[in-house]
């Protein structure tokens, strides 16, 4: 028995095949850096959590073998006082900082 999907998935190659085809070609041209990067679906942040990346930024840390990301206002003291490096960009804007 086969299952027929009635809607497109929220993200990924089935949703945006042309984008992923172009991305595969790009990564094939740059194999030395391809393993440093990945594509992430922003649905949870944008549609579920309603994060406004122009006003907020994620801060990720490793804790007990898990990566935990919390979102703060960009002018929050924890953002200004933490030693961090940008680890995710959207439209040339840092949207997630990783604590070092």
């Amino acid at each position: 028995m086969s299952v027929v999907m009635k809607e497109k998935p929220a993200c990924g190659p089935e949703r945006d095949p042309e984008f992923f085809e172009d991305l595969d070609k790009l990564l094939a041209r740059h194999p030395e850096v391809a393993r440093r990067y990945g594509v992430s679906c922003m649905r949870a942040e944008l549609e579920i959590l309603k994060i406004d990346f122009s006003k907020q930024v994620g801060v990720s840390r490793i804790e007990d073998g898990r990566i935990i990301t919390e979102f703060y206002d960009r002018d929050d003291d924890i953002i200004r006082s933490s030693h961090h490096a940008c680890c995710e960009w959207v439209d040339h804007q840092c949207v997630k900082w990783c604590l070092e």
Side-chain angles (χ1 to χ4, degrees), residues 10 27 39 83 97:
L27 294 175
V39 175
H83 184 67
W97 291 341

Side-chain angles (χ1 to χ4, degrees), residues 4-18:
V4 177
M5 288 187 65
K6 293 181 181 178
E7 323 182 347
K8 283 186 173 183
C11 299
E14 291 178 6
R15 173 73 183 227
D16 301 299
E18 296 85 11

Side-chain angles (χ1 to χ4, degrees), residues 1-64:
M1 180 174 164
S2 67
V3 177
V4 177
M5 288 187 65
K6 293 181 181 178
E7 323 182 347
K8 283 186 173 183
C11 299
E14 291 178 6
R15 173 73 183 227
D16 301 299
E18 296 85 11
F19 170 78
F20 279 90
E21 287 171 19
D22 288 348
L23 184 60
D24 286 343
K25 291 174 189 172
L26 176 67
L27 294 175
R29 288 195 339 251
H30 301 278
E32 69 282 1
V33 297
R35 290 181 50 91
R36 275 188 260 165
Y37 299 96
V39 175
S40 132
C41 178
M42 303 291 286
R43 182 179 175 274
E45 293 89 341
L46 297 172
E47 295 177 19
I48 298 170
L49 295 176
K50 307 288 187 202
I51 301 298
D52 179 350
F53 285 111
S54 69
K55 297 176 184 172
Q56 297 170 286
V57 65
V59 176
S60 292
R61 68 181 186 281
I62 296 173
E63 185 177 294
D64 298 325

